Each structure stands twice: as structure tokens, then as C-alpha cells.
Amino acid sequence: MRPTFKLALPAQQFLTEYWQKKPLVMRQVASGLDHPDADTLSGLSLESDVDSRLITGHGDGPWNLQHGPFDENDFRVLPRENWTLLVQSVDCFLTEVSMLLDHFSFLPAWRLEDIMISYASRGGSVGPHFDRYDVFLMQAKGQRRWKIGDHCNPHTPLQENDQLKLINNMKVRDEYVLSPGDVLYLPPGVAHWGIAEDSDCITWSVGFRAPSPVDILGRLADQAAESGGDTLFTDPDRTVPSDAASLQPADIEALTRQAFRALTPDIQRRALAELLSEPSCPSGLDFDVDHDHIAAASPDALLVRHGATRLILDDQGDAWLNGNHWPLTEAAKPLIRLLAGQRLYTEAELQPVTHDDGQDLLDEWIEAGYFAYLDFSTDE
């Protein structure tokens, strides 16, 4: 079954009442989360290109964090309880997992970041913490108890284990047990603590891209520098300073104003589109598309976008694919808009919008590994 998710309330109501405001528990709104299983996740964690972590501990600790890649012996020596394996960006490496992201069209595509999946033994947890981004926590297998605390900030007291950044003495305000198909939405900064009630507890975590203002300013400055502008600061209305030794507020304002004037709309568009289309896992394209899982879930599909491919359109209608700019002809735009709007495509969807320019570009992207025609006869 293809992974699916549907909000338990109208999308605009969710955005108005809950998005970045307060948690929401939604019962039985997700399905098709039975793959990957524990063996697949542990196999991914052996790969050097995959970001994975093992966390052991419970209660007041002690807590221990190990970073992958792991080997099979690392799993043989684990205790029976109180440990968790976290595998980041699983959607990049298992394209069938990325299909879930098509169900988040109530948000712009660039806002999506990745899908992390955790496997836990009984009592397994990552401890009381908070994230700086929105997250949808989807229960795939077993049950997990979630303790919800207050909104946190940079001054929230943390435990001494600075690697995990665990909250010290988290106050529990609400508590929920999630079963397979249940989903918990958490806005940024909300304290939470998930504990596996059962062995073989698997949870999908959909995280969101939230670039910092500093990162954005850096990209804007880089793009402005690449554009080769050589305008210098001017001050034709200069008056005699009251203190020649001091940098005056008026000068600071003028220097800053003229600097930002260099950020033309075209520079802003190019810098932000490049930043927001960069993949969370650049090496993900090295992993093959699993035709069998996708075919079983969607037998009428003809083409699939690789899970490590990010494709967005800018306000001029040009494509940005994994950080690279692709100007589009008018003839190509209908096809590329379809490709950017979803991740799985049938012949009936492709045929009406596929013309020579678009087909040539799609062939180039297929050759590079960004998309793949589905071969249902393969044993991969």
C-alpha cells in the first residue's frame, strides 16, 4: 500500500488554528506505513552515506548517543530494552517512502525537508527535547506514549548531556498514546518526550525546511557577488559631522540601505530558489529506485521522481532541481509543472502535457537519475 496521510480537519482550519501554534492529535489518518521494517532500517544505518544514530537510556538517564554508520555487531550488543535507532532522510534513499510527501500539498513544496524514521525497543526514546521546526509524528507500528510539555526557548534549562540537548525536569502538560495510523503534529519549540510502549515500535517523522535568516542573507550576498555589481557607496547630501571619529547612526542606515538596494528581485529569486531546492541528502541519488514496492502500491504508474530529487518552480516559471537552474520554454512548462506538483505519474497524466522540449528535458533528467521510468519486470 502506498503511504498516505489526510488531515483530520480542513487544511485552512489547520493552518489557522494549529500550524506553528499548538499541538494536534489526529487519530487514524495515516496508512501504508508498513515499509520499511526494522531490518531495512538497520540495513540503511550500515551505509556510510546515511545519517543514523543510536540512543540508549531512559528516565533520568544516563543517556548515550552513537553516530553511524554502524556494523552488525553494534546491534548484537544492544540491551533488550531502552534503545532507539534513528535514520534520517529515509525518503531520499527509499523512493517509495517519499510518496507520503505528496499528501502535504496544503503547504508549499519547498517547505518540506525530509522523513526520519525511528525504530525502538520497549522503553526506547530520545529523551525529553524540543525541535526548532514543525514535525508530524506518524505511528507506523506498535504504540508510543507522547508526553507534551511547554513551549521552549534558548533559555530553557537543559541536562548536562549537551550532545542530545535534553530538557531538564520537563513539565508534562498532556499525554497521548499513539497507535498505528495516529499522527501527532507539533509546532516548533514544544517540549515532547516519546517512549515506546511495545518492542518493534516504528515512528515516521516528517520534518520541515526552515532556513535561518542568517543563511538566507548569506545566499543573497553570494548571489549579489556573483552578479558582478560594482556600484560603490555614495553620499552626495553629506553634512559636516558633529564627531568625525564616530560612525553615526545615519551613516549606518545609509550604508545598509544601499547594500540592500543591490538585492534586486532577480537576485532574490535566484538565491532563494537555489537554497530551497537543494536536497537534504546530496548522495541519495546513488540509491536505486525500488520498482517492486512502488508497482505493488501503484500498478498504473509509469514514471517516478527519485526520492532525493527536489524540484520547485520560481515565480518566473523556471525550474530549480537540486539547487540547479533550468530555464523552461513555454512548451516544456506544463510537463515540468506536473513533475514538480507530485512524485508519481501515470501515462494518462503525462501524455497530454508531454511535447518535444519537455520530453528532451525529462530524458536528460532520467539519464542523470532524477526520475525513473518504472520497470515492473525488474527484481531490484
Side-chain angles (χ1 to χ4, degrees):
M1 181 184 295
R2 184 177 175 184
T4 63
F5 163 67
K6 185 177 181 180
L7 284 171
L9 68 171
Q12 189 55 59
Q13 182 183 354
F14 168 76
L15 294 174
T16 300
E17 298 180 11
Y18 293 95
W19 178 252
Q20 301 214 321
K21 300 176 185 70
K22 59 183 179 180
L24 175 64
V25 174
M26 294 172 279
R27 301 290 184 183
Q28 297 302 292
V29 293
S31 61
L33 308 183
D34 53 332
H35 176 77
D37 58 15
D39 289 340
T40 304
L41 290 172
S42 60
L44 279 176
S45 74
L46 308 182
E47 300 284 347
S48 60
D49 292 333
V50 177
D51 181 7
S52 59
R53 291 166 287 164
L54 267 173
I55 298 176
T56 56
H58 69 285
D60 295 329
W63 295 86
N64 182 61
L65 168 66
Q66 297 173 265
H67 289 277
F70 301 104
D71 59 42
E72 294 180 358
N73 189 59
D74 291 316
F75 293 100
R76 293 193 189 100
V77 299
L78 285 170
R80 292 178 60 86
E81 298 183 347
N82 303 321
W83 62 268
T84 298
L85 170 67
L86 304 171
V87 183
Q88 200 74 42
S89 299
V90 177
D91 54 306
C92 289
F93 309 111
L94 302 179
T95 292
E96 61 272 23
V97 169
S98 73
M99 300 295 103
L100 176 69
L101 299 177
D102 276 352
H103 298 278
F104 285 84
S105 58
F106 54 90
L107 292 162
W110 67 259
R111 201 66 164 86
L112 295 165
E113 177 69 353
D114 70 350
I115 299 174
M116 180 183 74
I117 301 183
S118 68
Y119 171 83
S121 64
R122 185 188 303 276
S125 174
V126 302
H129 68 286
F130 66 94
D131 298 313
R132 300 175 62 193
Y133 49 84
D134 303 86
V135 63
F136 284 78
L137 298 158
M138 303 184 167
Q139 197 60 26
K141 187 177 183 181
Q143 291 186 316
R144 185 179 289 274
R145 180 176 299 275
W146 288 102
K147 299 179 180 182
I148 310 300
D150 297 320
H151 280 265
C152 301
N153 58 53
H155 304 293
T156 298
L158 302 179
Q159 298 181 22
E160 292 183 1
N161 188 330
D162 58 354
Q163 280 189 302
L164 289 171
K165 297 182 179 180
L166 301 182
I167 298 170
N168 191 31
N169 297 321
M170 185 186 106
K171 295 180 180 179
V172 178
R173 303 300 185 185
D174 292 292
E175 196 163 329
Y176 309 98
V177 175
L178 266 60
S179 299
D182 295 341
V183 176
L184 170 63
Y185 163 72
L186 292 172
V190 172
H192 54 285
W193 187 356
I195 304 170
E197 298 269 280
D198 309 309
S199 293
D200 295 333
C201 176
I202 297 179
T203 304
W204 293 34
S205 174
V206 180
F208 290 81
R209 182 159 294 196
S212 73
V214 172
D215 287 341
I216 293 173
L217 286 172
R219 290 304 185 96
L220 290 169
D222 290 344
Q223 187 63 49
E226 288 181 15
S227 299
D230 58 358
T231 301
L232 301 181
F233 174 75
T234 60
D235 52 354
D237 300 320
R238 171 67 64 190
T239 59
V240 176
S242 59
D243 179 5
S246 299
L247 176 62
Q248 296 297 314
D251 288 334
I252 294 174
E253 192 277 334
L255 287 159
T256 303
R257 183 179 66 251
Q258 292 188 35
F260 278 102
R261 194 180 297 158
L263 302 178
T264 65
D266 184 63
I267 286 174
Q268 295 175 44
R269 174 179 67 92
R270 296 178 66 87
L272 294 177
E274 178 184 271
L275 171 64
L276 298 174
S277 66
E278 289 177 348
S280 58
C281 45
S283 63
L285 285 170
D286 295 337
F287 285 71
D288 292 332
V289 171
D290 187 331
H291 295 253
D292 290 344
H293 274 100
I294 297 173
S298 304
D300 59 341
L302 176 67
L303 181 77
V304 65
R305 189 200 308 180
H306 193 290
T309 299
R310 286 182 71 92
L311 175 61
I312 65 173
L313 303 177
D314 65 25
D315 61 352
Q316 302 298 310
D318 283 350
W320 292 80
L321 185 147
N322 284 21
N324 297 310
H325 180 212
W326 295 81
L328 300 178
T329 65
E330 287 300 319
K333 286 181 179 180
L335 173 60
I336 306 309
R337 180 166 292 279
L338 172 67
L339 299 180
Q342 59 198 66
R343 289 166 173 76
L344 201 61
Y345 321 92
T346 65
E347 184 175 6
E349 292 170 327
L350 290 166
Q351 195 276 330
V353 295
T354 303
H355 305 289
D356 289 346
D357 286 357
Q359 185 63 57
D360 290 345
L361 183 54
L362 176 57
D363 289 343
E364 187 174 349
W365 287 351
I366 290 172
E367 180 67 23
Y370 296 118
F371 291 82
Y373 281 118
L374 292 172
D375 177 6
F376 298 149
S377 65
T378 184
D379 293 327
E380 290 181 358

